[in-house]
Amino acid sequence: RMQEGVLIVSPTGRVAGYNPVAQAMLGLSDEAEIDLATHAPTLAAALRLWESGGGQEAIQFCGSDTCDLSARFEHTTSSDGAVLVFLEDVGRIKEQAQQLKLASLGRLTASIAHEIRHPLSAIRHAGELLREERRGVMQDRLLRILGDNVVRLDRIVQDILDLGRQSRAQPELLSLDEFCAGFIENFAVAEELSPEVIELVCHAQAAICFDRSHLHRVLWNLLSNALRHSSRGHAAVRIELAQAASPGRVELHVSDDGAGVPDAVREQLFEPFFPTPHQGTGLGLFIARYLCASNGAT
């Protein structure tokens, strides 16, 4: 019942024992003689380096199904000098941390979101009254800055409220190509885009089980991001549907012709309120990921 994987490795690199979690993580067979270097060469090399005194206490490496495994090593007092290897699923730990963060965010929602909205409405109203008294270019500029930031704050509050109100998923069978075609048409009208800016490419006609409103929100967040970073030229934003490698799954790609995401910030993309230079709320991808998880998608 342990959530950690445990291996017992002899000095010769033979796996002398393991628990079921370690077997699943590394894809070990039931054969009598298991050589660690054959089944997990990265782990075996790290173990040899650690035994020689030049390695780290813990490493991250790829397992049978995921590249988010962590291993740490411990000496034993056994006569043959066997080493214990403890394996952890880093992805599962990150997911648990994300759920805790989501729960904390939900508790904050009830206590502050409504309180922020009242003074925000007063600031907006005062700005509109000031705008009626035209006094010069400088005043117009300051009022525009005020208005833009009020809109951004209001969008953040709305995103927080929406996240707190998210109902449980009610999946229905959706034809993905038809759904995307209709969505693109509505999105283009709302954003006042030319029809050729967004391109839909269907390599597969797939039906998926997904909550209609949740899928709409996910696509809206992804396309808004793509549009914000694109050139807004012909086929600047692209939606592509394809069958996934694993059976019974489908892939939906949203891409744009922008510069792409810097490697340095990829790990933080799904963090709530992650700072963005494009006046976003920092909640779009966080909400999209949460809704996908609610519908059994990743």
Side-chain angles (χ1 to χ4, degrees):
R1 292 191 291 273
M2 289 181 65
Q3 293 184 331
E4 274 188 321
V6 182
L7 294 172
I8 304 171
V9 184
S10 71
T12 60
R14 184 179 62 85
V15 178
Y18 52 83
N19 69 344
V21 177
Q23 183 179 22
M25 285 179 171
L26 299 179
L28 301 177
S29 60
D30 292 325
E31 59 195 70
E33 293 288 331
I34 298 177
D35 181 48
L36 187 63
T38 302
H39 287 81
T42 305
L43 179 60
L47 175 58
R48 286 195 300 270
L49 191 61
W50 176 79
E51 287 178 319
S52 68
Q56 299 175 339
E57 290 290 328
I59 63 153
Q60 288 196 357
F61 68 104
C62 295
S64 60
D65 296 321
T66 175
C67 281
D68 263 347
L69 291 181
S70 171
R72 58 187 177 86
F73 313 111
E74 293 284 348
H75 287 295
T76 68
T77 56
S78 63
S79 57
D80 63 350
V83 172
L84 279 174
V85 181
F86 296 96
L87 305 176
E88 284 186 314
D89 186 343
V90 179
R92 179 181 59 81
I93 296 171
K94 288 180 179 178
E95 188 63 34
Q96 288 176 343
Q98 195 77 358
Q99 292 300 323
L100 287 173
K101 188 175 294 183
L102 186 62
S104 300
L105 188 61
R107 287 192 293 269
L108 277 174
T109 296
S111 60
I112 68 170
H114 290 291
E115 296 300 324
I116 292 176
R117 273 210 149 159
H118 293 307
L120 205 56
S121 297
I123 294 170
R124 179 190 285 113
H125 184 60
E128 290 170 353
L129 292 176
L130 285 171
R131 192 172 286 111
E132 294 175 2
E133 300 180 13
R134 294 195 171 274
R135 296 180 181 175
V137 177
M138 179 56 72
Q139 186 193 39
D140 286 344
R141 179 172 173 271
L142 293 175
L143 286 172
R144 188 167 59 252
I145 293 171
L146 177 67
D148 289 347
N149 282 280
V150 165
V151 168
R152 182 164 184 255
L153 281 171
D154 190 55
R155 196 161 64 240
I156 291 173
V157 172
Q158 186 60 51
D159 279 346
I160 294 174
L161 288 171
D162 287 348
L163 188 61
R165 294 173 186 151
Q166 289 300 340
S167 57
R168 295 180 64 179
Q170 297 179 333
E172 59 180 290
L173 197 62
L174 301 173
S175 174
L176 197 52
D177 51 337
E178 292 179 8
F179 184 92
C180 288
F183 174 85
I184 290 172
E185 186 177 344
N186 293 333
F187 184 83
V189 170
E191 296 290 334
E192 299 179 352
L193 297 175
S194 300
E196 67 271 6
V197 173
I198 303 175
E199 181 182 36
L200 176 61
V201 179
C202 299
H203 296 300
Q205 291 184 336
I208 63 169
C209 284
F210 215 101
D211 184 295
R212 182 181 294 271
S213 63
H214 288 182
L215 183 57
H216 186 277
R217 182 68 185 273
V218 169
L219 282 178
W220 196 281
N221 287 352
L222 293 179
L223 259 73
S224 295
N225 276 356
L227 184 64
R228 193 179 301 124
H229 294 86
S230 74
S231 66
R232 290 180 175 250
H234 178 74
V237 177
R238 178 186 176 103
I239 298 180
E240 188 173 353
L241 308 179
Q243 288 291 347
S246 55
R249 309 284 283 185
V250 65
E251 291 181 359
L252 190 154
H253 298 259
V254 177
S255 56
D256 60 75
D257 61 358
V261 180
D263 291 337
V265 301
R266 290 194 179 208
E267 285 295 319
Q268 287 81 41
L269 275 182
F270 295 102
E271 293 289 326
F273 303 113
F274 181 69
T276 168
H278 289 84
Q279 297 298 308
T281 66
L283 281 170
L285 289 178
F286 176 73
I287 292 173
R289 188 187 203 184
Y290 170 70
L291 294 178
C292 283
S294 299
N295 287 269
T298 57

